[in-house]
Structure formats: C-alpha cells, structure tokens
Amino acid sequence: MDLTNINKDRKNRRKGSLDLSTMVYGKVPPQAKDLEEAVLGAIMLEKSAFDTVIEILKAECFYVDANQRIFKAMQSLSQKSQPIDILTVVEELRKKEELEMVGGPYYVTKLTNTVVSSANIDTHARIILQKFIQRELIRISGEVISDAYEDSTDVFDLLDNAESKLFEITNNHLRKDYNSIDSVLVKAVQRIEDLRNQTEDISGVPSGFPSLDKVTYGWQKTDLIILAARPAVGKTAFALNLARNAALSPIRPTAVAVFSLEMSAGQLVQRILSAESEIWLEKISRGKLEEYEMKQLYAKGIQRLSEAKIFIDDTAALNVFELRAKCRRLKNKHDLGLIIIDYLQLMSGGGGNTNREQEISQISRSLKQLAKELEVPIIALSQLSRAVETRKEGNKMPQLSDLRESGAIEQDADMVMFIYRPEYYDVNANEHGESVKGETHVRIAKHRNGSLETIKLRAQLHIQKFVDEGVEGEGPGGGAPAWKPITPGGGPADNGGYRQIGSRMNDVSFDDDETPF
C-alpha cells in the first residue's frame, strides 16, 4: 500500500472540502464587482485606459469569471495591436467561443453604461487589486491551515511553501511605479552635492583597504558583489576582514550581517578575534594562550569587537525567503549597511527547482532584488569551477567563465572580484626571483560603475588577516607588509609559519556539471 499517495489523496479531499476562501465564518470573499465593471467599461470607452490598467491588474485579479474572460479578450486584442471597443471585444469573445459564457453581447454593452469616463480608472484598478490580494491571502491561509492539520506534512516544508506563496504575491502584484526624470534629478543632484562636500573620497561602505577603495569608492548601495575563488584561497578570511573593517571603520561605522552556511558562528568569531588581536588562529582555537596573549586578546580583540555591530547567522541550508526576512528585520532594527553571504552555492532557492543551474539563477536574482529593496550592498562568496586548474601553468588567474553552475551570477552581479594567490599553485617567486609568500591578487573582472583593476594585498592567514601591499601601521587594512611569523610553540617558522585549513569542499569530488548537494 502506497501511504504517500493515500496521504496526498486525503490532503486533496480535505482541501476540496475546506475552501476557506469562500466560507470562513460565513463571510463573502472581498470583491468589488461594480468597480470591475466600471474599469472594463472605461477601457472600451477610452483608448489609453487599457495601458493604465495593464500595469496594475492581471486577468486573475477580477473576481467575476465573466470579467476575467473579457479582460483576457482585451489583452488578446492589445497584443494584436487592434482597437479595444464593444464591437472588437464581442468579436474576440465569439472567436474564443466564450461570448455566451460572459452573458452575450448584452453584458458587454451594459459595461459601458456603468461609467462615464476613465478619469478615476487608476484608483478603481488599485481597489480591485487590493480585493484580489485579500482573497489570495485568505486562500493561502486556508491552504496553510489545511496542511498544518496533516501529520504527514513536514513543518519546514510548510513554512517554506507559505513564504514562497506570500513572496509570489508581493513579487507579481506589488510593483514599484516609475519615476519621472525631474524627481530623480533632484535626488541625483542632492547626492552629487553631498559627495562634493564630504572630505573623504569614499561614498559607500569602506572596505578598509585603501587601494581597493580607490577603485570602488566603497561598496555602493544596491550593488551585488560576487567574491569568488578556489577552495582554501582565503575567501572567508577576506570576507571577514571586510566585515570587521566596515563595522570598525573610523570613517563610517556600518552594521554588518554575516550569513555563514558553512562555518559556525563560534568559528567565525575566532577568526575575527585572531585578525583583530593579531594572535595565531591555531592558538585561539586550541586555547593555548600565554598570560600576555590573553591580555592582548582582551585589549586589542574583545574590547574593540564588543562595540562592533556585526550580526552572525550560521543557519545551514539557508533559503532566499529566510534570508530576506532576516535582513528586513536587521535593516529596520539596526539600520543594516552591509550583507555578506558565505557562500552562494550552499544556499537553496526554496522554489522547488530541480535544475541546479535554474536554482542558482533564482538565488542570484533574488540577492540583487534584495540589495535594491534594502538599499545595501551584498557581498556573496562563490566557488569557482575546476576549469581554472586545467589551464596551462602561468595562466591560473580566474576568469568570469570559471564561475560555478550559472552564467546568471555574472549577469546579475554589479561587480565580480576574484582572489588569486600564486603560492596556491606552488609559485613561490616572481620573474625577478622575489618571494611571493602571502601575495594576494584581488582582480575586479566586472565593474558596472568603475574600472577593472587588480589590487595587490598580502595575506597573513596565520592570523586570518589581509593587509594592503605597502601600507604599514595598525587598523583596518594596515599592517607591516614584510612579516616574520613565529610558530605557536615559539620555534622557527616552517613554510611561512602558518597552516591554512581549507573548505570542506576540498573533500568532495564532483565534475563541473554536477553539484555536491
């Protein structure tokens, strides 16, 4: 006996008998029949009325079935560039064999008698939309209630399904109206004036690295920034540096949200503490600290970081609906200024896509939409395919085509940055014979609003820190460019004195067209 099919049948029967959209407490579903007739009549009276209505309403927004069919006939006429009036609508309905279903020519003619002009058609259409959204909320709530009574329904699937349907209403029916250029010009001129009057050159969220900020002018609002590299190159360490630098910036301290799908919050905090206090990550992880190191940890690390507005979420398999809800709350409560996601390929779309490429495309589009909605930059970490490994020696710098699983990532991003370290490929000296230990190239391969540059940083991965090449001194982005690490035991350093533990993705073997999930 197939229990799965039995449960499905029982659920379908329950849904059929429990239609809460029509019988909750005996109430009639929200509707505006008179306004529906007025809108349809106005469309047939005035030529431009349909263009106004089509930006607000879809056929399913009409409560009366006859009105839905008439509006679809009007859409069909518009697509064929034919005029919309009583005669053309009646003829279109006759071709579709739906004229009698709507009440014949009499009903279509009657619609024009209910309205004099289309003067208030915009307001009428929005009221119809409001009633439709109310009906949809009732319908979705009814389905959620019905599913919640089923013991066989997974609660997380129920939550995900409810969020997905609610987001679909928002995404499909609550669209922002266009702006006239004069209103946008006022905002643009005001921003230019503000930038002229400010003393620093950074207009966005500071990265903490002067050479990088010189190209980007900080992370800009609404931008989606992709930070990509091969496993164990230092993506997470660099991203945490960006979070720490933004939150502790002396120019513009910013609230930062870090969503880690791979590492726990405790592990991330240890890395941030290591970078801020400049104490070995390995010693912090093992708790093998001398007394003076504990004092240094409190003075340079804990004391400063306790003031930073960094919010860490280590929910595994986070989907875009949960991410959106959490970011909205943080934006409202803490004026969130930067979002970092580690990393994109571990997210789930929550839309039921079986094709991984389509799911990644949906995720990248959703991240860009979220950046625009909240007006904050989003930095999403991404894996690179193994194509970079197969290229010839000396040509290991990542390219846009190396982004894993979807071209939509490249398409949706405002900026794509690659991290490349020569020593990752056992290149220990440059063409002049000089050591490249710790040398890190941050290549900006796509930049919608600026130039394409390659910035040189120096990685000190034993303390999970990156410093600007040639920039000395303490503080974000600063540090001694030439460093001589000491091993945790106090002895001489081997292989640069540090050990980098790679991502768990190193332990997974899969082809470029396959996914580990």
Side-chain angles (χ1 to χ4, degrees), residues 393-450:
E393 290 293 330
N395 188 28
K396 300 293 188 180
M397 179 67 78
Q399 302 172 5
L400 290 172
S401 58
D402 296 328
L403 287 169
R404 278 191 60 84
E405 293 178 321
S406 178
I409 299 175
E410 174 189 344
Q411 176 181 322
D412 296 327
D414 297 279
M415 184 185 300
V416 178
M417 298 189 301
F418 296 117
I419 301 178
Y420 166 77
R421 286 196 295 118
E423 62 183 314
Y424 182 84
Y425 297 101
D426 296 325
V427 178
N428 299 313
N430 59 21
E431 62 271 16
H432 304 294
E434 300 167 339
S435 173
V436 294
K437 182 68 69 177
E439 183 178 297
T440 303
H441 301 250
V442 179
R443 180 193 172 210
I444 301 177
K446 178 184 177 181
H447 193 186
R448 276 203 176 113
N449 303 307

Side-chain angles (χ1 to χ4, degrees), residues 58-84:
K58 296 181 179 179
E60 61 264 27
C61 296
F62 291 86
Y63 178 73
V64 179
D65 179 70
N67 295 341
Q68 283 191 20
R69 295 177 186 274
I70 292 172
F71 191 76
K72 287 179 181 178
M74 291 176 173
Q75 285 180 305
S76 179
L77 289 169
S78 177
Q79 289 169 359
K80 293 183 284 190
S81 300
Q82 294 182 7
I84 301 174

Side-chain angles (χ1 to χ4, degrees), residues 352-371:
N353 290 315
T354 55
N355 185 305
R356 182 58 179 168
E357 184 174 340
Q358 292 177 353
E359 188 174 19
I360 291 293
S361 298
Q362 180 197 348
I363 293 169
S364 66
R365 282 194 300 272
S366 298
L367 293 181
K368 177 58 185 176
Q369 290 168 0
L370 182 62

Side-chain angles (χ1 to χ4, degrees), residues 278-302:
E278 298 189 341
I279 297 175
W280 278 63
L281 174 62
E282 188 173 345
K283 297 190 75 174
I284 291 176
S285 300
R286 295 169 58 193
K288 303 295 183 181
L289 299 177
E290 303 294 336
E291 188 61 33
Y292 75 92
E293 289 174 319
M294 283 300 298
K295 291 180 180 179
Q296 181 178 333
L297 186 69
Y298 276 99
K300 291 187 66 178
I302 296 173

Side-chain angles (χ1 to χ4, degrees), residues 25 27 38 61 81 84 89 93-94 119 139 215 231 237 250 258 325 360 374 396 440 456 492:
Y25 305 118
K27 294 182 179 180
C61 296
S81 300
I84 301 174
V89 171
L93 288 168
R94 186 177 285 114
R139 179 184 63 82
V215 180
V258 179
I360 291 293
L374 300 183
K396 300 293 188 180
T440 303
K456 276 191 179 182

Side-chain angles (χ1 to χ4, degrees), residues 177-214:
D177 200 2
Y178 58 79
N179 295 307
S180 61
I181 192 169
D182 57 341
S183 63
V184 181
L185 277 172
V186 172
K187 296 179 182 178
V189 171
Q190 183 61 51
R191 185 173 185 274
I192 293 170
E193 290 290 345
D194 292 341
L195 293 176
R196 282 189 66 201
N197 295 331
Q198 70 180 25
T199 55
E200 68 275 359
D201 292 331
I202 300 173
S203 58
V205 177
S207 73
F209 300 100
S211 58
L212 185 57
D213 285 334
K214 189 176 180 181

